[in-house]
Amino acid sequence: MAEPTQARPKGTLDFVPPDAERKHHVESVFRILARRYAFQEIVTPVFEHTEVFVKSSGAASDVVTKEMYSFQDRAGRDLTLRPEGTPGVVRAVLENRVRLPARLYYIGPYFRYGRPQKGRYREFNQLGLEALGEATPMTDAELIYFGDEFFRDLGIVDLTTRLNSIGCRECRPAYRAELVGFLEQHRDKLCDDCRVRLERNPLRVFDCKNATCHRVVGDAPKPRAFLCADCGRHFEGVTTALERLGLKYELDDRLVRGLDYYNRTTFEYVSGRLGAQDSLGGGGRYDYLVAGFGGPETPATGLAIGLERTMLAMPDPGKPARRRLAFVVWMTEAERAAAWDLVDRLRAEGIPTLMDYDADRPKRQFKSADAAGAACCVIIGPDELAHGMYSVKDLASGEQSRVPHDLIVPQVRAMLRD
Ligand code: AMP
């Protein structure tokens, strides 16, 4: 279908001011917290060989079968814009022989050709953690707690943490057989997609959004009822740790997550403030993926948070009337050089500052200050210059006062609420 080419492509977002600043804020809260939990940043390419995703996310997963932006480059290589973070991270860790165990975090754009709606985009950003080489349930609990702390730091309330375990290679075959047996009995009620899932990866049926399929799996056997002793102990380790941390969670039998590589713990954060796309993030254990990439047996667990949905769930900051900006105004030509020096000084102190170089009269400069959304003006006239003073005007209240030269920086900072 033709799309107006002067508009942004369907499913993409622009971050115009002040949203880009809010995005940056979310990223820095994540970064600071990740470092506090001893994670180090990893940056990998936005595109990878298509095989990297097919091999890890699962050839039958929705992401791989329907949602990838795949293309051939000019030399005929099969490439894909990354739909998620973990496969590229695992590939990079092995290729660069990153020492294991390793705690890594990443932030960046991801691409999925889904049906766009509020909270679901074709280009979106994820903030993720991968703990490679840690088998203990304490790590799963730590990651789950990390996400909860991150959302709390951003003022997000109305959050539910869901938890499940989907077993391991030992116990999953028995469960799978039981599930397939059950689904076979209800085959006629399943959608076409789920009939294919039934053959290729029956756990995926739990993810189906179709109302009838949803009802069918409501009565299906549940993965947690089939856990082997080791998986049972691991899951108990996670729940005990979460209880000690004081984190409330809900057990969710349907939580199998959309990607094939998960085992044991799966978790998800759901917001009551969002509509249909209410999952803010989630993750789980993936103990077989590193070896699947040809690396050593490496237990691992990860977490990915959606940045756009996080921003939607955050409290509305309201429209700030004024920007964190100081504007320097000169009265007559004689103070213009002093005004310029002051701009320099304020900027050197880290204060965002502007002046209007082209204006001929103070009135025009005040107009420019207002148009820029500045919070205050610092005014230099002949009298101020003669007495070593500046006048400062709060543009929201209109209040004006005089400040000696050496106090101007703290005064402006106070007015910008630094
Ligand atoms: P997933 O990798 O599917 O487990 O997704 C992890 C998180 O990324 C989700 O909980 C969402 O917050 C976010 N996410 C996934 N897909 C999209 C999308 N198409 N648009 C916006 N956010 C998304």
Side-chain angles (χ1 to χ4, degrees):
M1 193 174 51
E3 196 169 291
T5 49
Q6 71 274 25
R8 61 178 186 265
K10 193 172 169 186
T12 62
L13 287 175
D14 297 313
F15 289 86
V16 296
D19 292 348
E21 288 287 341
R22 285 183 78 216
K23 172 175 180 284
H24 194 72
H25 171 67
V26 172
E27 291 169 352
S28 29
V29 168
F30 183 86
R31 217 177 271 282
I32 289 166
L33 203 58
R35 287 185 189 144
R36 209 179 290 163
Y37 280 70
F39 286 82
Q40 292 178 294
E41 184 163 15
I42 184 166
V43 178
T44 64
V46 163
F47 56 86
E48 297 273 354
H49 290 288
T50 299
E51 186 56 24
V52 168
F53 303 112
V54 175
K55 201 158 63 179
S56 52
S57 308
S61 68
D62 274 3
V63 166
V64 169
T65 52
K66 297 186 199 155
E67 299 184 346
M68 293 210 304
Y69 276 93
S70 298
F71 59 98
Q72 282 197 338
D73 73 2
R74 287 167 192 272
R77 293 181 193 91
D78 287 315
L79 302 172
T80 292
L81 297 183
R82 58 186 188 187
E84 48 141 349
T86 308
V89 169
V90 170
R91 195 250 336 121
V93 162
L94 293 176
E95 188 170 338
N96 296 280
R97 298 199 174 83
V98 174
R99 256 187 52 191
L100 298 174
R103 289 191 155 205
L104 303 167
Y105 78 88
Y106 58 83
I107 297 176
Y110 294 83
F111 306 84
R112 292 183 195 172
Y113 193 81
R115 196 167 45 79
Q117 53 185 288
K118 187 180 165 204
R120 193 205 275 163
Y121 311 100
R122 289 180 174 169
E123 182 186 22
F124 58 98
N125 291 272
Q126 279 190 345
L127 314 141
L129 301 179
E130 311 291 358
L132 299 162
E134 299 183 33
T136 167
M138 296 305 288
T139 307
D140 304 38
E142 230 182 71
L143 256 58
I144 296 169
Y145 189 70
F146 173 101
D148 183 75
E149 194 175 350
F150 169 73
F151 293 124
R152 266 188 285 127
D153 281 357
L154 292 171
I156 294 177
V157 287
D158 210 354
L159 187 79
T160 308
T161 304
R162 293 188 182 151
L163 182 66
N164 196 16
S165 174
I166 55 171
C168 68
R169 278 181 181 156
E170 301 300 318
C171 48
R172 198 137 13 127
Y175 170 64
R176 189 191 146 106
E178 193 80 14
L179 179 65
V180 169
F182 172 86
L183 293 174
E184 287 289 1
Q185 288 168 25
H186 298 87
R187 178 182 269 277
D188 53 324
K189 294 189 212 114
L190 297 176
C191 71
D192 291 346
D193 278 349
C194 280
R195 284 187 202 150
V196 176
R197 290 179 183 128
L198 177 52
E199 312 298 334
R200 299 174 72 173
N201 191 341
L203 255 75
R204 286 289 84 81
V205 177
F206 281 101
D207 284 339
C208 187
K209 304 285 180 286
N210 180 298
T212 321
C213 297
H214 202 73
R215 252 195 315 278
V216 170
V217 294
D219 298 325
K222 308 296 185 294
R224 249 178 320 116
F226 289 78
L227 296 184
C228 62
D230 281 349
C231 285
R233 261 195 303 278
H234 193 276
F235 189 65
E236 203 184 303
V238 177
T239 52
T240 309
L242 290 178
E243 276 145 31
R244 274 198 57 188
L245 288 164
L247 190 140
K248 291 204 167 48
Y249 59 86
E250 281 178 9
L251 295 176
D252 181 353
D253 288 315
R254 289 167 186 263
L255 185 61
V256 297
R257 316 248 327 130
L259 306 167
D260 275 6
Y261 50 68
Y262 287 109
N263 68 300
R264 290 194 170 161
T265 317
T266 54
F267 60 93
E268 191 163 41
Y269 308 96
V270 176
S271 161
R273 277 178 66 112
L274 302 184
Q277 301 303 316
D278 60 356
S279 159
L280 289 182
R285 189 156 270 288
Y286 54 95
D287 292 333
Y288 312 125
L289 189 62
V290 179
F293 267 82
E297 291 283 336
T298 309
T301 184
L303 153 72
I305 291 170
L307 180 132
E308 288 78 5
R309 290 188 199 169
T310 299
M311 287 177 69
L312 285 170
M314 277 161 63
D316 185 353
K319 245 198 155 26
R322 301 271 157 198
R323 255 170 87 190
R324 199 179 141 259
L325 175 71
F327 208 96
V328 177
V329 172
W330 43 272
M331 288 293 164
T332 73
E333 230 10 80
E335 297 92 45
R336 194 204 273 257
W340 201 355
D341 287 346
L342 180 62
V343 168
D344 224 28
R345 185 173 156 209
L346 293 176
R347 284 181 183 164
E349 294 286 345
I351 297 171
T353 311
L354 264 183
M355 72 180 273
D356 186 341
Y357 296 103
D358 296 329
D360 44 3
R361 284 169 293 129
K363 194 168 165 201
R364 245 193 70 183
Q365 297 175 55
F366 281 115
K367 252 195 167 147
S368 302
D370 202 46
C376 69
C377 282
V378 184
I379 306 152
I380 320 180
D383 198 46
E384 281 90 351
L385 201 60
H387 292 94
M389 306 284 279
Y390 297 117
S391 291
V392 280
K393 181 171 181 178
D394 183 320
L395 290 184
S397 66
E399 267 169 47
Q400 192 164 320
S401 59
R402 279 199 161 192
V403 187
H405 276 189
D406 53 343
L407 291 182
I408 190 64
V409 171
Q411 175 67 25
V412 170
R413 282 224 170 94
M415 294 179 95
L416 300 186
R417 292 176 193 38
D418 260 11

